[in-house]
Amino acid sequence: MAQQRAQRGRHGRDEWRGRGERRESPRRPRTAREVALTVLREVEDADAYANLLLPGRLRNAELSPRDASLATELTYGTLRMQGLYDAVVRAAADRDPADLDPLTRQAVRMGAHQLLSMRIADHAAVSETIDALRALGGARASGLTNAVLRRVAEASAEEWLERLTAGAGETEVRALRTSHPGWIVRALALALRRHRRPDAEDGGLDRLLAADNTPARVTLAALPGLADPDEIAAGAGHRGALSPLAVVLESGDPREVDGVAEARVRVQDEGSQLIALALVEASMQADAEDEAAEGPRWLDLCAGPGGKTAVLGALAAQLGGSVDAVDSSAHRARLVRDSVRASADAVAVSQADGREFAAARPGRYSGVLVDAPCSGLGALRRRPEARWRRRPEDIAALAPVQRGLLSAALEACRPGGVVAYSTCSPHWAETGVIVDEVLADVENLEVLDAAAVLARVTGGDADSFASAPRAGGRFAQLWPDVHGTDGMFLALLRRKRD
């Protein structure tokens, strides 16, 4: 093998890399494949997220609805199944995709997605992918890309999987079949057990991994007092299954829905809506017991980009209360201000370290939300590229920040008030471990039954939300395959009165 590679010489290596240093100037993307390939390249080059890039690229290209749907599937499908496609390309071409220049690498992955996972004729998948590559400046790599994709097309996805997994262990097979890094497969298996999900040993892992590869529905939040979810649903889709604010968009551009432009209606996952509503539900008791309270006073410590803040702000405006929203990033603080435009009088937005902000305001708030920075493993269906960016060491690196934010939130919470600790991840080290460590250090705390609170908000069954029980209460965990939401974790902690 080494001798064969040496014989390829400089010319073979330059062809494989697509001679990226000498590309011709690309034109603005005009077709579905050009748009998808452009986004895939940007996602890799700039560590951007496809769900933030793609809508703008689709608008600029002025694609038909059919072509926009194709570009969306090409983008997200390629990102989701990247691990499998890279393994197939290695086997088919006897080369590592890492040796390709970025544009050619993404073209090969996108072509593999069409050949192995879409009902597109082989000749069309290959030729139109190469056309897109050429249009974006990759003509020099078209011959190589053509040869690689034709080798990929020689077998079906199942046939490639049989070859690639022969003799592999159970985790490796799952990782390749579902295109997840092995460490994420192991982490999710542990999460199912630690959260005590009933099917943890009976197919739950396979269902969860499959849900990560199922496109998330576009869900809207009709903000309380600002929009009527029934009216929005009548014109745009149907009511959500869990959140009283939720409307599931059936088709079309959410920007065209009445109320979105004015920030009275927002694109927001149902799970995210439920976290904010659960804090309100749990903290209202503290306000009811405080005769001096003029209205609820809530704090959102990690507010960006502002979806949960918008829900809190709309409710605070109705109840004569207020929200302090904090984010350490100037960009994310601006997003929060934009998100709460419709209830701006009730919300004060600050750019600050949430830990410092909370510590300087001890005992001020009846409810504090800590939507902590996390790995995002609960939102892989929405941000599929995240699975390839995260590393196991990221979990440990985030833990001090998560603990610090939760501890500061408890300090800012007044006696009788409630802190909601949430992550968009079921990873046990980001959820139960963090809460248990803080509980061990802070006195006079009560663990509420977060599952029961969610049941009151949704009208559902508390046991369907229940995670690991604790003395006097329970955590809650939402699952993409069970609830159709992002994988949100929730713990509700009440400061006991003296």
Side-chain angles (χ1 to χ4, degrees), residues 143-169:
L144 176 66
T145 303
N146 178 73
V148 171
L149 291 180
R150 292 192 180 280
R151 292 173 197 165
V152 171
E154 291 173 358
S156 67
E158 282 301 317
E159 289 169 335
W160 279 118
L161 278 166
E162 287 182 14
R163 298 181 198 178
L164 293 168
T165 59

Side-chain angles (χ1 to χ4, degrees), residues 134 246 493:
R134 286 172 172 158
L493 308 178

Side-chain angles (χ1 to χ4, degrees), residues 31 56 94 99 201 209 253 268 270 294 297 306 313 315 329 345 352 396-397 421 424 429 437 455 467 475:
T31 70
D94 191 28
D99 289 340
E201 308 296 340
L209 294 170
D253 188 339
Q268 186 178 18
E270 272 196 271
E294 297 179 357
R297 177 175 284 182
L315 287 167
S329 161
D345 291 344
Y421 175 80
C424 188
E437 288 178 348
S467 175
F475 301 155

Side-chain angles (χ1 to χ4, degrees), residues 179-193:
S179 196
H180 284 72
W183 76 269
I184 291 182
V185 173
R186 291 187 289 272
L188 293 178
L190 177 62
L192 290 168
R193 296 193 297 272

Side-chain angles (χ1 to χ4, degrees), residues 65-376:
R66 180 177 178 179
D67 281 347
S69 295
L70 174 59
T72 300
E73 169 57 27
L74 289 170
T75 301
Y76 287 113
T78 300
L79 289 170
R80 287 188 190 101
M81 303 307 293
Q82 174 182 311
L84 172 61
Y85 300 149
D86 282 359
V88 169
V89 168
R90 287 188 198 97
D94 191 28
R95 300 286 185 97
D96 191 333
D99 289 340
L100 284 161
D101 72 274
L103 182 65
T104 309
R105 177 165 55 249
Q106 296 297 350
V108 168
R109 288 170 175 165
M110 188 178 77
H113 180 60
Q114 297 166 77
L115 293 168
L116 301 178
S117 300
M118 297 179 69
R119 295 180 179 179
I120 295 177
D122 290 359
H123 67 88
V126 174
S127 64
E128 294 187 32
T129 296
I130 290 172
D131 286 346
L133 178 64
R134 286 172 172 158
L136 297 176
R140 293 179 181 274
S142 59
L144 176 66
T145 303
N146 178 73
V148 171
L149 291 180
R150 292 192 180 280
R151 292 173 197 165
V152 171
E154 291 173 358
S156 67
E158 282 301 317
E159 289 169 335
W160 279 118
L161 278 166
E162 287 182 14
R163 298 181 198 178
L164 293 168
T165 59
E170 184 177 358
T171 296
E172 187 178 352
V173 171
R174 272 199 177 98
L176 195 58
R177 183 172 291 276
T178 65
S179 196
H180 284 72
W183 76 269
I184 291 182
V185 173
R186 291 187 289 272
L188 293 178
L190 177 62
L192 290 168
R193 296 193 297 272
R194 292 294 181 86
H195 287 292
R196 301 192 185 181
R197 194 167 124 168
D199 63 351
E201 308 296 340
D202 186 26
L205 178 59
D206 290 324
R207 285 187 282 273
L208 179 56
L209 294 170
D212 282 347
N213 292 332
T214 302
R217 304 169 302 176
V218 177
T219 306
L220 307 173
L223 296 179
L226 298 171
D228 185 330
D230 287 326
E231 292 180 2
I232 300 300
H238 62 271
R239 294 294 301 273
L242 296 175
S243 169
L245 312 180
V247 175
V248 178
L249 190 66
E250 293 177 355
S251 62
D253 188 339
R255 295 175 307 140
E256 298 176 357
V257 174
D258 184 41
V260 170
E262 301 83 15
R264 296 182 294 107
V265 178
R266 291 185 45 78
V267 175
Q268 186 178 18
D269 180 73
E270 272 196 271
S272 174
Q273 298 174 37
L274 291 177
I275 297 302
L277 293 173
L279 173 64
V280 172
E281 174 72 18
S283 66
M284 287 303 288
Q285 181 178 343
D287 292 310
E289 294 173 353
D290 187 347
E291 297 180 357
E294 297 179 357
R297 177 175 284 182
W298 295 318
L299 171 62
D300 188 349
L301 272 189
C302 307
K308 299 177 185 68
T309 317
V311 174
L312 294 176
L315 287 167
Q318 284 187 307
L319 298 168
S322 64
V323 179
D324 285 338
V326 183
D327 202 280
S328 60
S329 161
H331 170 65
R332 290 172 68 84
R334 286 194 296 271
L335 293 177
V336 176
R337 292 187 183 95
D338 184 68
S339 297
V340 301
R341 281 179 287 127
S343 54
D345 291 344
V347 184
V349 182
S350 301
Q351 180 196 348
D353 185 309
R355 293 163 293 188
E356 297 174 359
F357 188 95
R361 294 160 178 81
R364 181 176 296 189
Y365 300 96
S366 57
V368 184
L369 174 60
V370 182
D371 185 29
C374 68
S375 65

Side-chain angles (χ1 to χ4, degrees), residues 460-478:
D461 177 13
D463 288 342
S464 72
F465 304 115
S467 175
R470 289 296 183 272
R474 290 182 291 184
F475 301 155
Q477 179 66 50
L478 299 171

